């Protein structure tokens, strides 16, 4: 049987995450699961960062259960919707989520879409 080219992704969930206080990409909390639940985000722009080395077609889900919107940054050298770690991040409001899709063949290009509450 010929290969379909579809890669089955590990469906690990990481819960109880705390977004890095004061924000920024440099010390942002690393998202290690396919599904990531941020439980603590006390101040707007506290931050998390996507892991490097994701293959094309990978999805990372971020659910923010914190009190404020958290900032999701791309990994070093990568982009989310064209914004880099220094030129932009994606805000995930509290009680909401977002799915990040890896569309680049080099693992560096992400696009995102919002999820309902």
């Amino acid at each position: 049987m010929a290969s379909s080219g579809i890669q089955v992704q590990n469906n690990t969930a990481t819960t109880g995450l705390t977004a890095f206080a004061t924000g920024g990409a440099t010390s942002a909390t690393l998202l290690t699961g396919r599904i990531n639940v941020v439980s603590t985000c006390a101040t707007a722009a506290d931050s998390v960062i996507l892991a490097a080395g994701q293959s094309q077609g990978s999805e990372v889900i971020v659910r923010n259960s914190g009190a404020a919107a958290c900032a999701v940054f791309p990994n070093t050298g990568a982009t989310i919707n064209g914004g880099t770690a220094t030129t932009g991040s994606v805000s995930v409001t509290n009680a909401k989520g977002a799915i990040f899709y890896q569309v680049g063949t080099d693992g560096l290009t992400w696009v995102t879409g919002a999820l309902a509450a």
Side-chain angles (χ1 to χ4, degrees):
M1 176 179 223
S3 171
S4 67
I6 297 172
Q7 179 179 357
V8 177
Q9 189 174 351
N10 183 356
N11 286 321
T12 60
T14 305
T15 60
L17 293 169
T18 299
F20 174 66
T22 70
T26 305
S27 297
T29 301
L30 181 64
L31 301 173
T32 58
R34 177 177 174 267
I35 302 165
N36 300 274
V37 179
V38 177
S39 299
T40 304
C41 184
T43 306
D46 288 356
S47 59
V48 296
I49 192 166
L50 297 168
Q54 301 291 322
S55 61
Q56 186 177 30
S58 295
E59 295 178 346
V60 174
I61 299 169
V62 178
R63 168 77 177 163
N64 180 10
S65 298
C70 71
V72 180
F73 285 93
N75 48 297
T76 303
T79 62
I80 300 174
N81 296 346
T84 67
T86 56
T87 64
S89 61
V90 173
S91 179
V92 178
T93 59
N94 60 323
K96 299 286 184 189
I99 301 176
F100 296 84
Y101 302 96
Q102 180 52 246
V103 296
T105 57
D106 58 3
L108 297 175
T109 308
W110 295 89
V111 295
T112 190
L115 291 173

